[in-house]
Amino acid sequence: MLDLRRPSGLAVIFLLFCHAPQAQAQACVVHTQGEHVDVKVCQQNRNIPESLFKSGFCQPELKGQKVDVTYVDQCPSGAFGICSNAHVDGMPYRQDIHYYGVASDARFLKPFCETRSQGEWTLP
């Protein structure tokens, strides 16, 4: 699904982390597709005001990528890893990010979760 050996895949993951938090008591599934990239994450809100969620926090703008966002009450099962209590850069907000697709991608996502996002990597 996602080939993180290619820089474009890593760039998509980084942008999703930094620019797509979600709303209180809500979640969003973000599916991004482009050349050599197919990423699916779900962001479960912890403390982001609903108005910020609805105004675009779950709407990453990724040039050259097709982005499909679905709002749900909670993230679906089937994730290979979860970054719990992840910090949103430059903001006082926290979220849980669920990752779907290729489980071996955890070798990149776990260190990013624990260092950059100050979160805790958990297995579902």
Side-chain angles (χ1 to χ4, degrees):
M1 184 171 192
L2 169 64
D3 183 359
L4 282 175
R5 295 177 302 249
R6 298 182 61 88
S8 59
L10 284 173
V12 168
I13 287 294
F14 179 77
L15 289 171
L16 287 173
F17 262 120
C18 294
H19 299 292
Q22 75 283 325
Q24 195 164 356
Q26 293 181 340
C28 63
V29 177
V30 180
H31 187 193
T32 305
Q33 294 176 303
E35 188 176 337
H36 307 292
V37 176
D38 192 346
V39 177
K40 182 178 174 185
V41 299
C42 181
Q43 298 165 227
Q44 183 77 43
N45 181 49
R46 286 205 171 210
N47 69 347
I48 299 167
E50 187 173 348
S51 61
L52 291 177
F53 178 65
K54 290 181 177 179
S55 68
F57 273 83
C58 256
Q59 300 290 331
E61 294 181 20
L62 304 170
K63 188 174 181 168
Q65 306 292 319
K66 177 185 176 218
V67 179
D68 180 45
V69 178
T70 305
Y71 295 93
V72 294
D73 290 332
Q74 62 184 10
C75 291
S77 62
F80 65 79
I82 301 168
C83 184
S84 297
N85 204 30
H87 180 260
V88 178
D89 273 350
M91 298 181 174
Y93 303 129
R94 297 276 179 171
Q95 62 184 335
D96 297 330
I97 304 169
H98 299 237
Y99 294 94
Y100 305 86
V102 182
S104 62
D105 292 343
R107 70 183 185 271
F108 300 105
L109 299 171
K110 182 179 185 283
F112 186 89
C113 169
E114 295 172 344
T115 57
R116 176 73 182 218
S117 298
Q118 303 165 357
E120 179 183 347
W121 185 260
T122 61
L123 300 175

